[in-house]
Amino acid sequence: MANFISIFRIVIMFVAVFLIYMCQGSTNAYLWALIFTILAFSLDGLDGYVARKFHEESKFGALLDIMGDRIVENTYWILFAVMGWLNIIFPLIAITRGFITDTIRSAAMEKGYTPFGMQRNAICKFITGSKFMRITYAVAKVVAFVLIIAAQVPTCPFAEIVGEIGYWSAVFAIVFCVIRGLPVIIEAKRVIEEE
């Protein structure tokens, strides 16, 4: 069930992206895209809860969750750059960080570590794996993505202010994205060379 939720959220996200890209300027399409975007991010928390509640935790499930996060997150960054709502630097940073950290985590998994279990240093563990940091990053992305879409709805009151808050939320989210990736890079050599 948890894995189904992880996959379903990707489908929901693609529906939202389709509505934004193919129905540009349509109030109804953008409002539905907002609903689907919120739902896609809500399901991210639900899949982990279901996995723990029904004892469905697995390495495959953890990888599927990370893969889903990357697909959803990077698709929105790319969409917003294509639409001209954000600078191209946002998706470039997010995608580069994802390639680096996921490559390192793949090597760590060969050594038997879980994606978040490779950190030894307490500060690195906190930055990459703590509930607080993961939730803060998720909230930053959701706020940024939802407000950026909301600012484009033709009937949005205060669209300029909503867009500005969305933009700075995106800046915060992308900085946070890099900060959460640094511990993986810092501890990579130790994990990869460990016998």
Side-chain angles (χ1 to χ4, degrees), residues 153-164:
V153 175
T155 57
C156 177
F158 311 109
E160 193 172 315
I161 294 169
V162 171
E164 191 70 18

Side-chain angles (χ1 to χ4, degrees), residues 24-42:
Q24 294 182 27
S26 166
T27 299
N28 285 339
Y30 281 12
L31 289 174
W32 277 108
L34 270 172
I35 291 166
F36 288 135
T37 298
I38 292 166
L39 181 59
F41 279 96
S42 299

Side-chain angles (χ1 to χ4, degrees), residues 14-80:
F14 277 119
V15 172
V17 168
F18 174 83
L19 290 170
I20 291 168
Y21 190 74
M22 298 305 289
C23 305
Q24 294 182 27
S26 166
T27 299
N28 285 339
Y30 281 12
L31 289 174
W32 277 108
L34 270 172
I35 291 166
F36 288 135
T37 298
I38 292 166
L39 181 59
F41 279 96
S42 299
L43 290 174
D44 181 32
L46 181 63
D47 62 0
Y49 171 78
V50 168
R52 286 184 299 277
K53 178 145 180 87
F54 296 103
H55 308 291
E56 297 178 358
E57 303 101 330
S58 67
K59 283 186 182 180
F60 175 75
L63 287 175
L64 189 61
D65 184 50
I66 290 171
M67 180 189 71
D69 290 346
R70 294 290 182 272
I71 292 170
V72 171
E73 173 182 348
N74 289 332
T75 301
Y76 278 108
W77 289 125
I78 292 167
L79 173 69
F80 295 161

Side-chain angles (χ1 to χ4, degrees), residues 138-148 165-166 169-170:
V139 168
K141 287 186 296 187
V142 172
V143 168
F145 296 162
V146 166
L147 291 180
I148 288 169
I165 295 169
S169 297

